[in-house]
Amino acid sequence: ERGLSGQWGEDPFSGRPEMRRLVGRTLRENDVLIAEHDGRPVGALAVGACPAYVPGNPVPELYVALLLSSRRLSGEGIGARLLGLACEMAGERGRRMVRVDCWADSPRLIKFYEGEGFTRQGGFNLRGWRGQILAKML
């Protein structure tokens, strides 16, 4: 709907077996929080270990494997609040850094993370999908 087919693809995840497997693995291997508003889900956060496709990091970290927020409530700070929870969780676990990756071809998305205190830390290419890694020291 937003013209970002390079980020998510053009077909729904539910119709793509590889994406259904990825979502299932993300849910099994990470701690997942769901944000709600008036009893309806409006955001999701999954945090855990650094994924294999991202270069390692010598600093103890918590990795944001998934961050989604409702477009219906865009601008309400849902993503920012979920990132804040990720930072709290990292601190509680004795981690000194939170890292996340996003689609490198979305300046708006990168700017969002930078506005939340993250800095660019390199990138990667995963089967033609360009990723930007961002990190925040706690």
Side-chain angles (χ1 to χ4, degrees):
E1 290 179 8
R2 298 178 68 206
L4 301 174
S5 62
Q7 180 178 9
W8 299 110
E10 294 183 13
D11 299 322
F13 278 22
S14 59
R16 297 164 49 195
E18 76 281 4
M19 295 312 289
R20 288 196 314 268
R21 286 190 296 274
L22 173 64
V23 170
R25 188 171 57 249
T26 298
L27 295 174
R28 283 189 307 276
E29 296 177 359
N30 294 280
D31 294 320
V32 178
L33 299 174
I34 303 296
E36 293 183 352
H37 177 73
D38 290 336
R40 297 179 61 194
V42 295
L45 171 73
V47 295
C50 177
Y53 60 83
V54 173
N57 179 26
V59 178
E61 70 180 0
L62 190 62
Y63 203 93
V64 176
L66 175 74
L67 178 65
L68 298 172
S69 61
S70 168
R71 296 296 89 213
R72 181 174 58 85
L73 296 176
S74 182
E76 295 295 321
I78 296 165
R81 283 184 261 172
L82 288 170
L83 279 177
L85 286 172
C87 292
E88 286 178 29
M89 293 168 73
E92 291 167 358
R93 297 174 187 192
R95 312 293 168 76
R96 298 191 338 244
M97 178 182 282
V98 173
R99 284 200 303 167
V100 63
D101 65 75
C102 67
W103 186 38
D105 294 324
S106 177
R108 182 176 175 189
L109 190 53
I110 293 168
K111 185 177 179 179
F112 163 74
Y113 285 112
E114 290 175 335
E116 296 302 318
F118 287 76
T119 57
R120 297 177 200 206
Q121 196 187 51
F124 61 91
N125 188 311
L126 184 62
R127 296 182 299 278
W129 190 88
R130 294 178 352 101
Q132 174 68 57
I133 303 165
L134 298 107
K136 181 176 184 176
M137 290 297 295
L138 303 179

